[in-house]
Amino acid sequence: QVQLVESGGGSVQAGGSLRLSCAASGLWYGRYCMAWFRQAPGKEREKVAAIDSDGITWYTDSVKGRFTISKDNAKNTLSLQMNDLKPEDTAMYYCAAAFAAGWCPNGPNDFPFWGQGTQVTVSS
């Protein structure tokens, strides 16, 4: 059984930083992609960053140069370092996982495993 538990959200002023963490269990077998999505009120869930089983990363354009995704395979932990936060980064952030070898699915419907989410609020 796969379980994902996020932590690290909070409220910061624009320009500040936060680090999100996702503790994963049940992913000890196979190869998988892990990703961070976010969803703001009234908007669709958006993939923010992803890292595949080979460690290759992907970022949506709006966070490139500001966010860094990483994973610690020994600790089964996924992280998202968010710097220079902007009010438009305000959203609920979700950790997601999908079994995939050497690639990552595109949309949220392709990720079967999700955490409960952690709120990030950036004030101007």
Side-chain angles (χ1 to χ4, degrees):
Q1 182 178 1
V2 176
Q3 289 189 327
L4 305 174
V5 179
E6 302 99 332
S7 61
S11 297
V12 295
Q13 290 190 329
S17 298
L18 283 173
R19 186 176 181 86
L20 306 183
S21 295
C22 174
S25 59
L27 287 172
W28 56 270
Y29 63 96
R31 299 175 71 189
Y32 49 90
C33 165
M34 296 195 75
W36 288 98
F37 284 77
R38 67 186 178 188
Q39 189 167 21
K43 294 189 176 181
E44 293 185 353
R45 192 164 295 191
E46 170 192 31
K47 191 168 73 172
V48 175
I51 184 166
D52 71 16
S53 60
D54 296 326
I56 305 299
T57 58
W58 173 92
Y59 300 92
T60 192
D61 285 346
S62 63
V63 308
K64 285 180 180 177
R66 300 189 297 123
F67 290 11
T68 302
I69 189 171
S70 61
K71 65 178 179 177
D72 184 329
N73 291 325
K75 297 181 179 180
N76 287 334
T77 300
L78 179 74
S79 298
L80 185 69
Q81 178 66 42
M82 304 186 295
N83 298 327
D84 190 24
L85 282 160
K86 305 176 185 296
E88 51 263 42
D89 295 318
T90 295
M92 185 71 78
Y93 282 70
Y94 297 90
C95 172
F99 286 109
W103 68 286
C104 278
N106 288 327
N109 291 338
D110 298 319
F111 285 79
F113 308 112
W114 292 87
Q116 82 287 352
T118 186
Q119 178 68 37
V120 172
T121 303
V122 185
S123 58
S124 58

